């Protein structure tokens, strides 16, 4: 109960024990009380405090909190996933833990792992809070390559838990569907200090959104404010890490880059051969990426019409989340800048 206005902030489920040994209820009750206090007042979790219907045990809360911290910038997704997995083992009924596990797997490009986790949760939807169901919907939509459905689920998340860490979910989904103004409005209405450990991500979202809108002065001002507001000293300790090894076992990104290089060096035959091989790739969780590479290759080769057709196809296939940003920054599309069809893609919704 809140001491300020007397409202109930979290209710615990009923615990039953044998009447012959009433003291047996003390330890599970202690676990629930401590877990509840942790989710409400731990700064790592307060941004998501309204998400779960049921509080965790204290041991599960500790693992979840550590996982959320690993998940924050700078990210350690494998460590985060291990903590979320442990939280699930300690408290199988705490459904927020597998949702975090699915999300961390999704961000690590472990699409099959995320998909299996989400599928296993489908039978528990009636036990979820509204925000948990919305998050479940959002992850499932992303795995389907449906950015619009992900955006609508993110809107529901913020409706159910306003001024919380879920503002970042909506802001990112807004960017993924080319709604930069919504991204800005969401972050500013929530407040940078109210999104928990995802605070640094808000600066990334804001600068990207201002760039999309062509408001470069605000983009610069936001970047400078982010640097000034840094209180953990991470800017001074930051290191630039370049990962050369391609994590995709098929290596199609390396082939695609080879095709772009060939196209720019006057070898259209090699470029087209590789582009054709990209068209033959057929497996789950591609989200239009090979098609987007083919569009870049076509644009460099001067096939403007083909490039535009492939861009539209890639967005339909689920490339929206990354595609909008690439349209703004990839120099391969410079030859399309004067075309109305390309400008139409760049316009915010």
């Amino acid at each position: 109960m809140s001491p300020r206005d007397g409202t109930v902030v979290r209710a615990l489920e009923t615990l039953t024990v044998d009447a012959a040994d009433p003291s047996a209820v003390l330890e599970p009750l202690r676990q629930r009380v401590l877990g509840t206090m942790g989710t409400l007042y731990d700064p790592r979790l307060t941004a998501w405090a309204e998400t779960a219907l049921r509080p965790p045990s204290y041991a599960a809360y500790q693992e979840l909190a550590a996982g959320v911290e690993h998940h924050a910038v700078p990210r350690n997704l494998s460590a985060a996933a291990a903590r979320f997995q442990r939280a699930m083992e300690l408290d199988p009924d705490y459904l927020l833990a597998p949702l975090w596990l699915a999300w961390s797997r999704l961000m690590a490009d472990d699409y099959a792992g995320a998909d299996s986790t989400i599928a296993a949760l489908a039978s528990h939807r009636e036990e979820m809070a509204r925000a948990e169901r919305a998050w479940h919907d959002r992850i499932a939509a992303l795995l389907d390559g449906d950015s619009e459905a992900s955006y609508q689920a993110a809107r529901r998340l913020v409706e159910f838990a306003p001024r919380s860490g879920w503002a970042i979910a909506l802001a990112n989904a807004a960017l993924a569907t080319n709604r930069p103004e919504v991204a800005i409005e969401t972050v500013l209405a929530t407040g940078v200090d109210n999104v928990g450990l995802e605070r640094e991500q808000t600066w990334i979202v804001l600068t990207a959104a201002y760039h999309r809108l062509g408001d470069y002065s605000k983009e610069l001002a936001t970047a400078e404010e982010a640097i000034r507001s840094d209180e953990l000293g991470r800017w001074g300790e930051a290191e630039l890490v370049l990962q050369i090894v391609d994590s995709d076992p098929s290596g199609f990104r390396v082939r695609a880059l080879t095709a772009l290089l060939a196209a720019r060096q006057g070898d259209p035959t090699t470029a087209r051969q590789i582009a054709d091989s990209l068209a033959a790739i057929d497996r789950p969780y591609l989200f239009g990426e090979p098609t987007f590479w083919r569009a870049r290759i076509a644009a460099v080769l001067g096939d403007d019409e083909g490039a535009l057709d492939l861009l539209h196809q890639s967005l339909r296939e689920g490339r929206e989340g990354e595609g909008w940003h690439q349209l703004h920054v990839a120099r391969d599309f410079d030859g399309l800048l004067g075309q109305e069809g390309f400008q139409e893609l760049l316009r915010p919704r």
Side-chain angles (χ1 to χ4, degrees), residues 51-287:
T51 300
L53 188 63
R54 177 186 175 280
S57 67
Y58 182 61
Y61 143 71
Q62 289 180 304
E63 293 296 329
L64 187 82
V68 171
E69 188 164 2
H70 282 308
H71 190 275
V73 178
R75 302 194 194 281
N76 185 341
L77 293 174
S78 61
R83 293 291 192 143
F84 297 142
Q85 183 74 54
R86 181 61 178 152
M88 289 172 56
E89 295 167 357
L90 289 169
D91 193 344
D93 295 326
Y94 187 49
L95 299 179
L96 195 57
L99 283 168
W100 270 108
L101 176 62
W103 184 251
S104 64
R105 286 174 169 173
L106 178 65
M107 292 201 66
D109 295 341
D110 178 9
Y111 300 119
D115 214 347
S116 65
T117 306
I118 284 298
L121 280 171
S123 61
H124 297 279
R125 284 181 62 86
E126 292 303 315
E127 305 161 36
M128 295 180 184
R130 294 182 303 169
E132 289 174 319
R133 285 196 293 271
W135 196 12
H136 187 266
D137 290 339
R138 182 169 187 241
I139 297 173
L142 288 171
L143 288 166
D144 287 338
D146 192 338
S147 296
E148 182 62 28
S150 171
Y151 171 76
Q152 296 301 333
R155 286 188 66 89
R156 294 196 298 277
L157 272 170
V158 173
E159 289 172 5
F160 300 148
R163 292 183 60 79
S164 71
W166 297 116
I168 288 298
L170 178 55
N172 281 322
L175 282 182
T177 53
N178 207 23
R179 294 177 168 100
E181 290 182 333
V182 174
I184 294 169
E185 291 169 3
T186 301
V187 171
L188 296 184
T190 301
V192 172
D193 293 327
N194 292 323
V195 296
L197 293 180
E198 293 296 311
R199 185 176 185 274
E200 293 182 29
Q201 181 67 17
T202 61
W203 301 117
I204 297 171
V205 169
L206 282 174
T207 52
Y210 284 129
H211 181 89
R212 296 267 188 97
L213 292 172
D215 195 339
Y216 306 123
S217 60
K218 283 190 177 179
E219 179 186 4
L220 178 60
T222 301
E224 291 174 341
E225 183 181 355
I227 294 171
R228 289 194 304 270
S229 69
D230 176 49
E231 297 175 354
L232 306 171
R234 288 178 179 172
W235 292 103
E237 302 171 1
E239 295 180 358
L240 181 62
V241 178
L242 178 62
Q243 295 182 346
I244 300 176
V245 178
D246 195 300
S247 60
D248 185 351
S250 73
F252 75 81
R253 296 184 183 94
V254 174
R255 282 188 286 138
L257 286 169
T258 302
L260 281 175
L261 181 60
R264 291 191 177 278
Q265 292 181 328
D267 184 2
T269 301
T270 298
R272 291 191 178 100
Q273 286 175 345
I274 295 176
D276 290 341
S277 74
L278 296 177
I281 298 174
D282 183 16
R283 68 169 192 264
Y285 313 119
L286 290 171
F287 307 112

